[in-house]
Amino acid sequence: GAGTVQSGLATATASAIATTPTNYIVTKSVPSTTDVTVTLNQLKSVDIEFGLDKLASTVRNYFAEQKPMEIYALAEKIATHFMSTVYGATWTAAQGATFTEPLATWNLKSLTRLKAAMSVSKIPQVGRFALLHTFYHDALLEDPAILTSKAILTLTNPSMSVFEQTRIPSYAGIQPIETQLASAAGSTITAWTDPATLGTITRVGFAGNASSMLFVSRVPQDFTSLAADLKIPSTAAVEIVTEPESGISMMFWRYLDLGKMSIVVRACLMWGDAQGDPRVGLIIKPA
């Protein structure tokens, strides 16, 4: 029927809202955000072990010498797993899930074009980054604009060692980050050692912001405290070490292997990672 006409309105307006006044009703959008579950399903460790023959033959502190490499080995495993998760996820940015540019033409202008792709995809400007393979990252260092700027700074202030710096500041609102683990064949992290030959490499980086990925970690529970509660003599010492740049803490076990007459130092960590918002990520491809 004609419905009920609101009094005081003009005839044309009244007939327009007679039955279904859609032009007067605010339709609220349905939220498209979803909670992300991160499962701590990774427990990895790196052991360093020296026997009595080594330890008794020198006054050198073998464990202190090897500790940085031990932490690096565990960090490399974490980063490899994280990058595999990034490349294995499905991204749905409005501009497209990928940003493609060959190494030969990659420069500061590429970051400007990447910025445009991220803006068109409505990726928030806060915290934008580009995780780049070393070859792509260092191509930015070779950009004439960078070299000219460094030369000017060195001439105007000779005490500055700008040519020794390899970290690139944020450009076009994007912070370039270098990692040699950004090269992959599909979702499989694959070493890329020759810039002139891609081989099977199909991924060289990832652009996004803080909402793109989630990473959670914690040190394992100290089971030696449980052993103490059970009145079992503890044969291990436990130490928590925090990496200052990332803030990630790792657990170090030091224990004796009496059967082998050796001492073992084990670095271990539990972690899990997951894709965040699929709309705020772009895979960077070389071709």
Side-chain angles (χ1 to χ4, degrees):
T4 302
V5 178
Q6 183 177 348
S7 61
L9 294 177
T11 304
T13 305
S15 61
I17 64 168
T19 306
T20 309
T22 55
N23 54 332
Y24 280 72
I25 294 177
V26 177
T27 303
K28 296 183 178 180
S29 61
V30 178
S32 57
T33 56
T34 57
D35 292 334
V36 175
T37 299
V38 182
T39 304
L40 278 76
N41 56 1
Q42 300 293 311
L43 173 56
K44 304 292 183 181
S45 66
V46 177
D47 289 5
I48 293 180
E49 181 176 5
F50 288 105
L52 177 63
D53 55 336
K54 290 285 186 181
L55 295 174
S57 65
T58 181
V59 295
R60 290 167 52 191
N61 188 338
Y62 283 127
F63 294 106
E65 293 176 5
Q66 297 298 318
K67 195 170 188 178
M69 282 69 78
E70 185 177 20
I71 295 175
Y72 179 89
L74 184 55
E76 183 177 13
K77 183 66 178 178
I78 296 169
T80 300
H81 185 272
F82 181 84
M83 292 304 302
S84 296
T85 303
V86 169
Y87 290 146
T90 299
W91 301 96
T92 60
Q95 181 271 343
T98 60
F99 180 85
T100 302
E101 183 154 350
L103 177 61
T105 59
W106 181 268
N107 53 30
L108 287 178
K109 293 181 180 179
S110 305
L111 289 183
T112 303
R113 290 190 288 272
L114 179 59
K115 174 262 177 192
M118 298 177 77
S119 295
V120 170
S121 298
K122 300 180 181 179
I123 297 177
Q125 296 182 3
V126 178
R128 286 181 179 177
F129 65 86
L131 198 61
L132 301 171
H133 183 272
T134 298
F135 293 150
Y136 269 70
H137 178 275
D138 289 358
L140 299 176
L141 292 174
E142 296 175 358
D143 189 291
I146 290 285
L147 296 175
T148 301
S149 299
K150 286 188 174 184
I152 293 173
L153 288 173
T154 301
L155 291 173
T156 56
N157 190 349
S159 63
M160 296 180 64
S161 55
V162 293
F163 279 100
E164 297 178 5
Q165 299 175 8
T166 59
R167 189 176 186 273
I168 301 174
S170 178
Y171 183 81
I174 300 174
Q175 176 61 59
I177 303 172
E178 175 193 2
T179 173
Q180 73 275 31
L181 301 174
S183 55
S187 61
T188 303
I189 305 303
T190 305
W192 183 23
T193 57
D194 183 2
T197 306
L198 277 172
T200 60
I201 301 300
T202 59
R203 308 284 189 272
V204 293
F206 175 76
N209 71 354
S211 298
S212 302
M213 291 291 298
L214 293 89
F215 179 84
V216 179
S217 68
R218 73 172 178 84
V219 295
Q221 182 180 358
D222 181 7
F223 68 86
T224 60
S225 59
L226 176 61
D229 293 339
L230 297 175
K231 302 188 183 303
I232 301 174
S234 175
T235 59
V238 180
E239 177 187 10
I240 306 297
V241 175
T242 301
E243 199 279 318
E245 186 172 350
S246 65
I248 296 177
S249 296
M250 300 180 181
M251 178 174 283
F252 281 80
W253 304 90
R254 300 189 299 274
Y255 64 92
L256 299 171
D257 189 329
L258 298 178
K260 297 168 62 177
M261 291 193 297
S262 65
I263 298 177
V264 180
V265 174
R266 172 176 295 168
C268 58
L269 183 70
M270 299 176 65
W271 80 86
D273 49 37
Q275 181 185 25
D277 191 329
R279 299 169 297 179
V280 292
L282 297 171
I283 300 294
I284 300 174
K285 302 176 66 175

